[in-house]
Amino acid sequence: MAWTTPPQLDPERSRRRLQLLAELAGARAVQQRQRPRRARGEHLRQLIATRRRVAG
């Protein structure tokens, strides 16, 4: 199968695509910052569950 260059997008579509990619990158950055907090919370929930099992 021969490689072909992709068709050129119109300027408005290119602008919207770049904007969407930038928003997606921003959302990923926020998610990365929140992940450690979520992991800590999950770890605490596991410890509490373990303690309840042992004490119960």
Side-chain angles (χ1 to χ4, degrees):
M1 191 160 84
W3 174 258
T4 59
T5 58
Q8 291 297 319
L9 303 175
D10 62 279
E12 178 63 20
R13 186 172 174 187
S14 294
R15 185 193 62 74
R16 283 183 287 152
R17 181 176 180 274
L18 287 174
Q19 183 179 2
L20 178 65
L21 290 174
E23 289 172 7
L24 182 61
R28 283 187 181 149
V30 168
Q31 189 178 35
Q32 290 291 331
R33 285 192 302 268
Q34 291 178 349
R35 194 168 285 159
R37 230 180 298 157
R38 240 184 272 148
R40 255 194 324 270
E42 180 61 30
H43 181 66
L44 284 175
R45 280 190 289 280
Q46 288 174 355
L47 288 174
I48 292 167
T50 302
R51 180 173 277 190
R52 284 182 180 159
R53 269 183 262 138
V54 171

